[in-house]
Amino acid sequence: MYKVAKASEYLAITGSGIRDIKIAKKGWVFPGQSCAIIEVSPVNYTFQVQAMSAEKLPFVLPAVFTIGPRVDDEESLLKYAKLIAPHDKHSDHVTELVQGIIEGETRVLAASMTMEQVFKGTKEFKQEVFEKVQLELNQFGLVIYNANVKQLVDVPGHEYFSYLGQKTQMEAANQAKIDVAEAKMKGEVGAKLRQGQTLQNAAKIDAETKVISTQRQGQGRKEEIKVKTEVTVYENEREAEVAKANAELAKKKAAWSKEAQVAEVEAAKAVALRDAELQGEVEKMNGMTRTQKLKAEFLSKASVEYETKVQEANWDLYKKQKAAEAALFEKEKEAEAKKAMAEAEFYARQQAADGELYTKQKEAEGLMAVAQAQGHYLRTLLGAVGGNYAAVRDYLMITGGMFQDIARLNAQAVQGMQPKISVWNNGSDGSEGAAAGGSAMKEVAGVYRMLPPLFKTVHEQTGMLPPSWMGSLPDSTNPPNN
């Protein structure tokens, strides 16, 4: 179904295919969707706001607010459609909501101001209330189109404004009485002042008339003297101008005579100077002619010599260029030959390196194959013996001939050794040992009997002798006599 809203209405469409709410003036409403018509015309709300000033004086503030949704902001329309539109704009719910906001902001603002400030600053107070209420209404998508705050009214039992009006009336009555008394005083004083001023003005006018008459007579004489003086001055100025003109005329005549004489002298000198200049130019031309002739002769000789030397220099330069080109060509060929040899050597080295790399790769592949085969072999052996690593180790040592190598190395290690066996007899027999068995010195005697063979063995193995204070060994090179 296709729906179209009126001029003061909007369509709020929800349902299938719409994420939140769609606000539009017209549109299709499909099955599974719901459409509600939102009235956006503003509504007047009239309130009697009771507040209290900073002096704790209560008062009533009659106010009329024209409030409606903000139609120029889509987000505000969405808020209005969600929060306010489901209710009737004239219902108690919306009225109490708006009244609560207005009363709360008005009371908070009034509590921070004195009664005098509220009464005298009605315009500022209204603006403050307007701004603070608007901030609260923004969260509902509402806007204040107009706010009218009426005159403050007393709360019953607190007649502040009544007393203030009576005070103003009494002040006005007293001020009227004062004004009447001042008016009477000013009238009586003014009459006396007028009489005195009339007499003063009459005397003043008589005196001024006499002064003006005297001044007019003096000004007439002064004007007459002034005219005569100006005539005399004018005549003197004219005579001075005539004399000045005659002097300038004489001066100009003298200057003209001087200029004529100077012109004649300059003309004569100019003729002589011109004659001399022409004579000099003639001589100069003759000199230039001779100079040009000599130059032509020397130039022809120099040109011949120059061309000869140029040809010789060109020939020498040509020979040197050819020699340089030949040397350059030879060096280029040598460089090309060296380059070819270097490229060949590089190619040979590259081929050798590639061959060596291929060999190494094949060796590495062979080692890897052997290692893989050995690993497989070891895994097979380990599986055959049931995971006994000791049995595998012994088997590998037997098959690898390790026991034979150990025996051979041990045989080579003891080969050539000549052990010496010394037998010592300390001279005691069994009976003496039995007799001394219970002696406390038996162990000490055994230690001393052990020292001679120990010293002898150390001497034979290392060549070291015991210290002299401990004893000496018999000389084996001089056997004792029987």
Side-chain angles (χ1 to χ4, degrees):
M1 181 184 296
Y2 190 79
K3 289 191 174 184
V4 179
K6 295 180 181 179
S8 62
E9 296 177 345
Y10 275 90
L11 300 179
I13 305 173
T14 60
S16 177
I18 299 175
R19 184 174 181 181
D20 189 7
I21 298 177
K22 179 182 178 182
I23 304 296
K25 295 290 288 185
K26 56 186 177 180
W28 288 97
V29 181
F30 299 99
Q33 294 181 352
S34 176
C35 177
I37 298 175
I38 302 173
E39 177 67 31
V40 296
S41 59
V43 178
N44 291 329
Y45 296 94
T46 303
F47 305 105
Q48 297 287 335
V49 181
Q50 293 187 358
M52 184 176 293
S53 66
E55 304 99 331
K56 297 181 177 57
L57 294 174
F59 63 92
V60 176
L61 179 68
V64 179
F65 284 83
T66 303
I67 300 174
R70 189 187 295 273
V71 297
D72 57 351
D73 185 13
E74 185 177 355
E75 184 178 356
S76 299
L77 279 176
L78 289 174
K79 292 180 181 179
Y80 179 77
K82 293 178 182 178
L83 304 175
I84 305 298
H87 306 279
D88 185 6
K89 291 187 291 184
H90 299 281
S91 64
D92 294 338
H93 176 75
V94 179
T95 304
E96 290 175 358
L97 175 66
V98 176
Q99 183 177 1
I101 295 174
I102 295 174
E103 287 183 351
E105 296 299 330
T106 305
R107 287 169 181 169
V108 171
L109 182 60
S112 63
M113 300 174 66
T114 63
M115 186 64 75
E116 192 70 17
Q117 290 175 344
V118 174
F119 187 75
K120 291 185 177 179
T122 305
K123 184 177 180 181
E124 291 77 9
F125 181 74
K126 172 186 173 182
Q127 186 65 27
E128 288 287 337
V129 172
F130 183 91
E131 293 177 356
K132 293 184 180 296
V133 171
Q134 182 60 60
L135 288 177
E136 295 296 329
L137 293 178
N138 285 337
Q139 58 186 338
F140 299 101
L142 298 174
V143 63
I144 301 174
Y145 288 97
N146 184 32
N148 184 16
V149 178
K150 299 180 181 180
Q151 294 297 329
L152 303 179
V153 180
D154 288 324
V155 176
H158 298 81
E159 289 77 12
Y160 175 80
F161 294 109
S162 298
Y163 293 149
L164 190 62
Q166 293 176 9
K167 177 185 175 183
T168 305
Q169 290 177 2
M170 293 300 295
E171 289 178 352
N174 294 331
Q175 185 66 37
K177 293 179 181 179
I178 294 170
D179 293 339
V180 170
E182 288 183 353
K184 290 181 179 179
M185 181 188 67
K186 289 180 179 179
E188 294 175 356
V189 173
K192 297 296 182 181
L193 287 175
R194 290 297 181 184
Q195 292 177 2
Q197 288 177 357
T198 301
L199 298 175
Q200 291 176 2
N201 290 334
K204 183 178 178 181
I205 291 171
D206 292 338
E208 288 178 354
T209 303
K210 294 178 180 180
V211 170
I212 292 172
S213 177
T214 306
Q215 288 178 352
R216 292 291 177 85
Q217 293 177 1
Q219 286 180 356
R221 296 193 191 95
K222 184 178 179 180
E223 291 294 332
E224 184 179 357
I225 296 170
K226 183 179 179 182
V227 171
K228 292 180 180 180
T229 305
E230 289 178 355
V231 170
T232 305
V233 170
Y234 178 74
E235 291 177 353
N236 295 333
E237 287 178 355
R238 294 301 300 168
E239 291 178 357
E241 289 177 0
V242 171
K244 183 178 179 181
N246 295 329
E248 289 179 357
L249 179 59
K251 187 186 294 184
K252 289 181 179 180
K253 287 182 178 180
W256 292 336
S257 177
K258 180 181 177 181
E259 288 177 359
Q261 295 177 0
V262 169
E264 292 177 357
V265 173
E266 287 179 353
K269 297 295 183 180
V271 171
L273 182 60
R274 183 59 180 167
D275 188 11
E277 288 177 356
L278 293 174
Q279 186 65 30
E281 288 180 0
V282 170
E283 294 179 356
K284 184 176 181 181
M285 292 299 296
N286 293 332
M288 288 176 65
T289 301
R290 290 193 296 269
T291 302
Q292 290 296 331
K293 182 178 180 181
L294 293 175
K295 282 183 179 180
E297 293 177 356
F298 286 113
L299 183 60
S300 59
K301 292 180 181 180
S303 298
V304 173
E305 292 178 359
Y306 171 75
E307 290 178 358
T308 303
K309 291 181 179 181
V310 166
Q311 293 296 330
E312 293 177 355
N314 289 337
W315 173 247
D316 293 338
L317 178 61
Y318 178 75
K319 290 192 294 182
K320 290 180 180 180
Q321 286 178 350
K322 290 300 180 182
E325 289 176 358
L328 179 61
F329 181 75
E330 183 178 358
K331 289 182 180 180
E332 288 178 353
K333 292 299 181 183
E334 290 178 358
E336 291 177 357
K338 290 180 180 180
K339 182 178 179 181
M341 292 176 65
E343 290 178 353
E345 186 177 356
F346 175 74
Y347 180 75
R349 289 181 180 177
Q350 187 176 8
Q351 292 298 323
D354 293 341
E356 186 176 357
L357 176 62
Y358 181 75
T359 303
K360 296 291 184 183
Q361 289 178 350
K362 291 300 180 183
E363 290 178 357
E365 291 176 358
L367 293 175
M368 186 177 295
V370 171
Q372 292 177 355
Q374 289 180 353
H376 180 70
Y377 176 64
L378 291 175
R379 286 193 295 272
T380 304
L381 286 177
L382 190 60
V385 298
N388 191 347
Y389 290 97
V392 175
R393 181 194 62 197
D394 295 339
Y395 176 76
L396 292 176
M397 291 176 68
I398 293 171
T399 56
M402 184 173 289
F403 289 112
Q404 293 86 339
D405 293 338
I406 292 173
R408 184 175 67 256
L409 292 174
N410 290 334
Q412 290 177 0
V414 300
Q415 186 177 3
M417 293 180 63
Q418 298 178 1
K420 293 182 180 182
I421 302 174
S422 300
V423 179
W424 287 77
N425 187 2
N426 52 18
S428 63
D429 53 8
S431 59
E432 293 178 357
S439 174
M441 298 299 291
K442 181 179 178 180
E443 296 181 2
V444 178
V447 173
Y448 276 97
R449 291 189 187 98
M450 185 182 65
L451 290 176
L454 179 62
F455 288 158
K456 184 175 181 181
T457 301
V458 172
H459 176 67
E460 290 176 353
Q461 296 294 331
T462 64
M464 297 176 63
L465 293 173
S468 58
W469 56 271
M470 187 175 291
S472 61
L473 297 176
D475 192 1
S476 62
T477 61
N478 299 320
N481 296 328
N482 296 328

